[in-house]
Amino acid sequence: MGFGKDFLWGGALAANQCEGAYLEDGKGLSIADMMLGGNVDTPRMFCPQLQKDAFYPSHDAIDFYHHYKEDIKLFADMGFKSLRTSINWARIFPNGDDKQPNEAGLQFYDNVFDECLKYGIEPVITLCHYEIPWEITKRYQGFYERKTIDLFVRYAKTCFERYKDKVKYWITFNEINGATMPVGRYNGVGLVEKEDLESKEPIPKSKLKDVPQKRWQALHHEFVASAKAVIEGHKINPEFKIGCMICHIPWYPLTPSPEDELIAQEKNLMFNDLCGDVQVKGIYNPIALAKLKKEGIDLSFITKEDKQTLKNGCVDLYTFSYYMSNCISANPNATKIKGNLSGGIKNPYLEVTDWGWQTDPLGLKWTLKKLASRYPGTPLMVVENGLGAKDIVEADGSVHDDYRIEYLKMHIEAMKEAVEEGVPLIGYLPWGPIDIVSMGTGEFYKRYGFIYVDRHDDGSGNFSRHKKDSFEWYKTVIESNGEIL
Ligand code: BG6
């Protein structure tokens, strides 16, 4: 009973949110570098041209680029079995289509992976975590143009060949399903319309023009790019375990009215399941396709050859992020609430965090059981979960983050129940084991870590690292394989 003996306990990061060194050693700009910070009420601004003297949180982030040895040592002290991070595509191909990969970029990740392996930490590597090279966005509108499929596959092959003996677990695209909604047009598929690209002024990210036809086409190109990468990866090392990554949000009907039930069914399909079905089963769900057609999307971009590629390039494992659940209702006056990638309707049974996300550990159990039934035989991995909160540093440097411990504890308990009820869960990698830049709001103020980093939204801070109370707690959780919470 309980978690298996090889269960992968650890944590998850993304290059653009932790590394900094945004132009160091030959790195090019990525789409993440073009965003200013905001906060819970102020949206992040997208800057088609970098503004002088403005503070871009990803440019230095927490400077993992120069602190990786110290940070990985801290993760090892907590007993990590695994660390998820991403390779920043623009470190390897600064312009996306460079003739040769950038050796200094490749070397940096060799160093990071070697450091992990030194402590027996298994790397889980995302190839694209909202880090499309900016040049690809400028020239090809991200994944809208088919050419970007080839650029991605070349980048993936370069990484697979270089790290084939160091990395076994790979993820192609982070939260690929974000692009089923307007929110994913920029971070997810790197698509910016010409008029926005030419703007001299920063634009609130939420105001970027969305063209659903182009966004769905770009998402389809990511599916094809992912499938081709899976095929190539397995040729390079048949032992590779390559996963999809879905932002999974359970959508509950607000009431038992059949209208609410139907809306919830459709939302779960379009947001959660459409992408997983393509990547795990190699097929587009016919009900989802019919809905898109009805909305006026011309699906002729799904060619016969692409369909075959999707079938041949199914993933080996299903990874997902889980932070919260949402309600949905046919009633337009139901109370709205914020959330990760997508807000929804307020659930009267759930508490919300300071950023308005509804805490729902049982929703994680619901998700795990649903996925195990939908994709029987496919191993599951939680590669993001956690509480973004304000932390208070005491005079002696301590941070008493019992709220974070409570949140994680409830989610681990829910996972344990799911495992005991037959779910093939192989790992738990909570988000931001060390404080990093928030993706949604671009803040340092919203913190997830077991390790506090002295870095702030006004650009101040000395980058020093301090253990929070949750550090020792998580260490005990790992030591006891999830028995002592
Ligand atoms: C996920 C992303 O959606 O949520 C991460 O994959 C992100 O990049 C995480 O950081 C938490 O969201 P936020 O907005 O609190 O950083």
Side-chain angles (χ1 to χ4, degrees):
M1 295 303 265
F3 299 103
K5 68 173 181 22
D6 298 324
F7 193 77
L8 292 172
W9 294 99
L13 302 167
N16 74 88
Q17 290 170 260
C18 69
E19 285 175 4
Y22 83 116
L23 289 179
E24 210 163 313
D25 293 334
K27 181 182 164 292
L29 289 169
S30 87
I31 53 172
D33 298 319
M34 316 306 287
M35 307 270 297
L36 296 170
N39 60 44
V40 68
D41 299 314
T42 319
R44 297 192 73 173
M45 304 292 274
F46 156 73
C47 305
Q49 344 223 330
L50 291 182
Q51 311 282 303
K52 264 204 174 142
D53 304 327
F55 179 64
Y56 289 86
S58 75
H59 290 191
D60 296 312
I62 59 154
D63 199 25
F64 178 80
Y65 195 77
H66 298 105
H67 289 74
Y68 69 92
K69 286 193 179 174
E70 177 186 351
D71 294 344
I72 294 170
K73 160 101 177 50
L74 285 163
F75 299 151
D77 288 349
M78 260 187 287
F80 275 26
K81 313 269 183 244
S82 180
L83 176 69
R84 172 184 178 219
T85 189
S86 61
I87 295 177
N88 199 323
W89 186 350
R91 242 182 237 299
I92 310 301
F93 288 103
N95 299 293
D97 61 355
D98 311 70
K99 285 215 168 64
Q100 295 299 327
N102 172 30
E103 178 52 35
L106 288 168
Q107 187 57 51
F108 170 67
Y109 293 105
D110 264 319
N111 299 345
V112 169
F113 303 154
D114 288 344
E115 202 62 21
C116 287
L117 296 171
K118 179 168 123 185
Y119 296 107
I121 296 176
E122 179 94 55
V124 174
I125 300 306
T126 315
L127 287 166
C128 188
H129 191 126
Y130 303 148
E131 288 142 351
I132 295 171
W134 175 234
E135 284 301 317
I136 292 186
T137 283
K138 279 204 312 203
R139 289 189 231 158
Y140 310 117
Q141 294 199 295
F143 273 86
Y144 172 60
E145 286 198 23
R146 254 195 118 84
K147 180 170 171 73
T148 305
I149 298 177
D150 297 338
L151 297 178
F152 178 80
V153 175
R154 180 163 169 250
Y155 155 64
K157 276 176 75 177
T158 305
C159 296
F160 291 154
E161 268 155 13
R162 176 82 172 211
Y163 309 120
K164 63 178 183 301
D165 299 324
K166 298 183 181 177
V167 178
K168 174 172 152 197
Y169 290 98
W170 297 90
I171 292 167
T172 51
F173 290 94
N174 183 62
E175 295 187 331
I176 196 164
N177 57 325
T180 60
M181 296 182 308
V183 69
R185 65 197 174 292
Y186 182 72
N187 292 339
V189 293
L191 175 53
V192 183
E193 291 304 320
K194 202 160 175 275
E195 64 225 62
D196 287 341
L197 268 183
E198 285 170 358
S199 165
K200 297 270 174 288
E201 296 302 318
I203 308 170
K205 217 183 89 188
S206 52
K207 296 270 159 44
L208 284 170
K209 190 167 178 211
D210 178 50
V211 184
Q213 175 68 39
K214 291 172 78 172
R215 173 163 46 79
W216 282 100
Q217 183 161 333
L219 175 58
H220 172 70
H221 290 162
E222 277 195 354
F223 290 146
V224 175
S226 173
K228 287 191 170 186
V230 170
I231 295 165
E232 294 303 325
H234 286 151
K235 283 189 215 154
I236 292 166
N237 185 348
E239 298 297 308
F240 278 171
K241 300 285 173 224
I242 309 177
C244 61
M245 199 297 203
I246 307 290
C247 170
H248 201 288
I249 302 177
W251 294 86
Y252 304 138
L254 181 65
T255 72
S257 81
E259 286 81 4
D260 280 4
E261 288 284 349
L262 271 172
I263 291 188
Q265 184 189 50
E266 183 174 279
K267 185 72 183 176
N268 278 303
L269 171 64
M270 298 306 288
F271 184 75
N272 290 318
D273 300 329
L274 185 164
C275 297
D277 286 356
V278 173
Q279 295 191 282
V280 179
K281 299 179 177 174
I283 46 162
Y284 273 100
N285 182 294
I287 307 291
L289 285 185
K291 176 169 164 61
L292 291 177
K293 263 194 206 151
K294 204 170 159 198
E295 284 173 2
I297 307 293
D298 171 2
L299 296 169
S300 56
F301 53 73
I302 310 176
T303 66
K304 211 169 143 206
E305 198 192 341
D306 287 352
K307 284 188 194 159
Q308 196 51 52
T309 305
L310 297 179
K311 274 245 166 262
N312 297 344
C314 294
V315 293
D316 308 303
L317 81 153
Y318 183 109
T319 82
F320 66 102
S321 62
Y322 179 85
Y323 293 91
M324 42 162 274
S325 65
N326 265 329
C327 281
I328 188 161
S329 170
N331 173 2
N333 301 320
T335 311
K336 298 202 174 37
I337 189 142
K338 291 190 166 77
N340 183 24
L341 297 192
S342 176
I345 300 297
K346 171 91 188 75
N347 186 331
Y349 296 96
L350 300 178
E351 303 283 327
V352 295
T353 70
D354 289 337
W355 274 261
W357 299 15
Q358 311 194 86
T359 302
D360 181 15
L362 288 183
L364 176 55
K365 181 174 175 184
W366 183 94
T367 300
L368 286 164
K369 292 185 79 175
K370 186 201 83 169
L371 293 172
S373 314
R374 195 171 183 100
Y375 308 120
T378 304
L380 307 176
M381 204 191 273
V382 176
V383 295
E384 287 188 31
N385 171 240
L387 177 67
K390 313 169 197 164
D391 285 333
I392 294 167
V393 186
E394 306 292 341
D396 63 356
S398 55
V399 177
H400 303 306
D401 56 344
D402 44 315
Y403 37 88
R404 181 166 294 111
I405 294 174
E406 191 52 30
Y407 176 100
L408 294 168
K409 189 175 157 183
M410 291 189 299
H411 286 78
I412 296 173
E413 272 164 357
M415 285 189 322
K416 196 168 168 204
E417 285 174 23
V419 167
E420 290 175 351
E421 290 173 34
V423 169
L425 179 67
I426 64 167
Y428 179 61
L429 308 178
W431 184 245
I434 182 165
D435 293 343
I436 50 179
V437 180
S438 142
M439 184 276 293
T441 56
E443 289 164 288
F444 291 97
Y445 183 57
K446 184 182 189 189
R447 295 170 181 272
Y448 285 86
F450 305 114
I451 301 161
Y452 183 90
V453 180
D454 183 34
R455 182 74 173 143
H456 308 282
D457 293 320
D458 58 2
S460 65
N462 61 13
F463 296 98
S464 60
R465 275 76 166 141
H466 307 272
K467 297 175 187 174
K468 304 181 195 174
D469 287 358
S470 54
F471 185 101
E472 289 301 328
W473 171 81
Y474 193 46
K475 185 175 174 173
T476 306
V477 172
I478 298 179
E479 252 166 23
S480 66
N481 202 22
E483 289 304 313
I484 304 175
L485 299 175

